Amino acid sequence: MIELIDIHKSFGSAEVLQGINLSISAGEVVCIIGPSGSGKSTLLRCINFLEHPTSGTILIEGERAYYDHVGTVLKTHSEKEVARVRRKLGMVFQEFALFPHLTAIGNVIEGQIYGLGIPRVEAMQRALSMLERVGLTDHGDHYPAELSGGQKQRVAIARSLALSPKAMLFDEPTSALDPELVGEVLDVMKNLSGDGMTMVIVTHETAFAREVADRVIFVDRGKIIEEGPPERVFDHPQHERTNAFLARIMRRS
């Protein structure tokens, strides 16, 4: 479904990603963990081209995505072509990114009409279905200011699902939530996993990763240090750096 080949990303002289190689199969749930500043979010944003890699290749469903190599230069595809591939990937951010002037259902409708060209009546039906899927049937007429953080994030998930993505990308979706609201968002994500949705999740919720992930990837200083089934990575880490990171996380919890 998603393949990254030797992905590098630099911001000026700082190399944030240093040769990332990663393949994600359809239906797989991959959780990415690691310390702050390790390149986790940059990696996720490269997958849907919100950040442009400095070098390397991205394949989406076996198709070279977003750009071609012309010598040592990356030549970006047309805006239309980039948008076509990007629509295969739903994205959920830390801070919800809802339109404050639109109701919950308006937020879910907007991308369907203006991004996919779906007629408003059909978009409304799909929006109602997606809000039901995330447990917000009774909140469609609420504005973001009237919703809790957990409800906002669930609207954001519904908005992405309404565009029928092939995979969902989550960038620390619970980090901006009060602790008592985290569970309602994780429950929605667990249900998506059960439905077979391909998901790539940057998270600090190790208990959630242990329960839901098919594979856990530990990233540090722009490199994949360790990856494997959650029970191996969490209970029997092979790398000293992974062990030190997990030991620190467990002390905090």
Side-chain angles (χ1 to χ4, degrees), residues 81-146:
E81 177 62 15
V82 168
R84 180 187 69 80
V85 175
R86 188 181 275 156
R87 278 196 294 269
K88 296 181 179 184
L89 306 171
M91 181 79 177
V92 177
F93 300 91
Q94 296 180 33
E95 299 290 345
F96 325 127
L98 299 179
F99 295 113
H101 63 289
L102 296 178
T103 62
I105 200 164
N107 270 278
V108 181
I109 287 172
E110 190 84 353
Q112 298 180 64
I113 294 175
Y114 296 104
L116 300 182
I118 293 174
R120 180 170 288 275
V121 172
E122 181 183 342
M124 174 68 79
Q125 293 174 339
R126 188 181 296 187
L128 289 171
S129 176
M130 291 304 104
L131 287 176
E132 181 180 7
R133 191 172 181 183
V134 300
L136 290 174
T137 304
D138 298 331
H139 292 73
D141 60 350
H142 287 53
Y143 288 89
E146 301 172 315

Side-chain angles (χ1 to χ4, degrees), residues 28-235:
E28 188 177 18
V29 178
V30 174
C31 287
I32 303 175
I33 64 171
S36 297
S38 61
K40 305 185 302 296
S41 292
T42 300
L43 169 58
L44 198 71
R45 290 169 67 87
C46 282
I47 291 175
N48 71 348
F49 212 49
L50 290 177
E51 294 290 354
H52 296 193
T54 305
S55 64
T57 300
I58 300 173
L59 303 176
I60 307 293
E61 293 192 306
E63 173 186 18
R64 187 183 292 271
Y66 310 127
Y67 56 85
D68 292 307
H69 296 86
V70 181
T72 58
V73 177
L74 302 185
K75 184 178 180 181
T76 303
H77 295 166
S78 68
E79 289 185 16
K80 182 178 180 180
E81 177 62 15
V82 168
R84 180 187 69 80
V85 175
R86 188 181 275 156
R87 278 196 294 269
K88 296 181 179 184
L89 306 171
M91 181 79 177
V92 177
F93 300 91
Q94 296 180 33
E95 299 290 345
F96 325 127
L98 299 179
F99 295 113
H101 63 289
L102 296 178
T103 62
I105 200 164
N107 270 278
V108 181
I109 287 172
E110 190 84 353
Q112 298 180 64
I113 294 175
Y114 296 104
L116 300 182
I118 293 174
R120 180 170 288 275
V121 172
E122 181 183 342
M124 174 68 79
Q125 293 174 339
R126 188 181 296 187
L128 289 171
S129 176
M130 291 304 104
L131 287 176
E132 181 180 7
R133 191 172 181 183
V134 300
L136 290 174
T137 304
D138 298 331
H139 292 73
D141 60 350
H142 287 53
Y143 288 89
E146 301 172 315
L147 299 173
S148 70
Q151 290 168 339
K152 291 177 188 176
Q153 194 61 291
R154 285 188 281 156
V155 172
I157 294 171
R159 177 179 58 186
S160 290
L161 291 175
L163 302 179
S164 300
K166 299 291 186 69
M168 290 284 288
L169 312 177
F170 294 87
D171 188 5
E172 298 202 28
T174 62
S175 65
L177 302 181
D178 292 332
E180 65 268 22
L181 301 177
V182 168
E184 63 190 63
V185 173
L186 296 184
D187 284 344
V188 170
M189 295 170 66
K190 289 175 188 176
N191 289 336
L192 289 177
S193 171
D195 291 342
M197 174 65 74
T198 306
M199 297 196 290
V200 187
I201 307 164
V202 171
T203 184
H204 58 276
E205 300 285 347
T206 54
F208 169 76
R210 181 189 290 272
E211 180 179 353
V212 174
D214 297 300
R215 186 161 36 123
V216 172
I217 293 173
F218 174 61
V219 175
D220 188 36
R221 298 181 182 179
K223 297 180 180 179
I224 294 176
I225 303 299
E226 187 162 354
E227 62 180 299
E231 59 273 12
R232 187 185 66 72
V233 173
F234 288 125
D235 297 336

